[in-house]
Amino acid sequence: KASSGLIDAGKPTTPFNDAYLNDNPSKGTALCDIGLYGGPKAGRVLLENTIEVNQNDSWATLEETINSSWPADHIKFNAGSFSISSELSFKPYQQISGISPEDTVLSNSSGYILNLNDNSSVENLCFDGTAANANGISITNKDIISIKNCLFMNQTLSIDIDSSPKTAITNS
């Protein structure tokens, strides 16, 4: 509601400011909305949405799908090989998955394939570098990351973890 007392009502100081981030919706000004709107964890409440990505989707479609997703969405790569042209950055609380590491392959020729955000999980994917300097997953200063049942091939750096102490890697 446009007249809600929660719009622009948050503390405008770090770490409490609810900046408009990751294309999350904001009401009023870009700072200090409480709850659903504004802030890095804003988005639908308890309404996980599964978004399927298919092998025949164009790079522009794939990029738009990721960019228009919300925190807590499940991004599901269906079976196939996906050529990743540039790093895909995800929002907090998102699950990124494939069918299995044998059936869903994300490949790149340089840089990272995925850049994860807080409280994210990745599972059932294969990361395949097609040239020198190809990397898999970047995790920098993030909280609670889970990587399960993933295969890393031909990567210069498979998983780059920097200042992210709550990272679990299993069966990868």
Side-chain angles (χ1 to χ4, degrees):
K1 184 175 174 183
S3 62
S4 171
L6 298 179
I7 295 174
D8 296 334
K11 289 184 178 181
T13 58
T14 304
F16 303 105
N17 59 353
D18 294 331
Y20 182 81
L21 298 172
N22 298 326
D23 295 324
N24 291 325
S26 180
K27 302 288 183 180
T29 64
L31 294 176
C32 305
D33 290 347
I34 296 175
L36 180 63
Y37 299 100
K41 296 177 183 173
R44 292 185 295 265
V45 178
L46 300 175
L47 296 174
E48 175 187 302
N49 185 34
T50 298
I51 300 169
E52 295 192 21
V53 179
N54 297 301
Q55 181 177 354
N56 58 352
D57 290 345
S58 69
W59 171 250
T61 299
L62 173 60
E63 213 171 21
E64 175 59 26
T65 297
I66 303 303
N67 291 338
S68 65
S69 66
W70 287 67
D73 278 349
H74 174 194
I75 312 299
K76 181 181 177 185
F77 287 84
N78 288 318
S81 294
F82 299 83
S83 179
I84 307 302
S85 299
S86 63
E87 182 177 284
L88 296 173
S89 293
F90 292 89
K91 296 180 176 90
Y93 297 94
Q94 288 189 324
Q95 176 185 0
I96 301 94
S97 71
I99 303 301
S100 73
E102 294 78 22
D103 294 319
T104 308
V105 179
L106 306 182
S107 62
N108 67 331
S109 58
S110 67
Y112 291 98
I113 294 177
L114 304 182
N115 181 2
L116 299 182
N117 213 315
D118 291 326
N119 299 284
S120 296
S121 67
V122 177
E123 55 188 52
N124 299 325
L125 290 168
C126 175
F127 297 86
D128 187 12
T130 59
N133 299 318
N135 302 308
I137 299 174
S138 173
I139 306 167
T140 303
N141 200 24
K142 301 301 175 196
D143 194 29
I144 309 176
I145 301 294
S146 172
I147 300 170
K148 299 178 190 173
N149 196 35
C150 290
L151 176 64
F152 296 88
M153 303 178 355
N154 307 312
Q155 299 283 316
T156 301
L157 188 58
S158 298
I159 304 171
D160 184 5
I161 303 172
D162 184 13
S163 300
S164 301
K166 295 179 184 175
T167 300
I169 303 170
T170 55
N171 296 331
S172 292

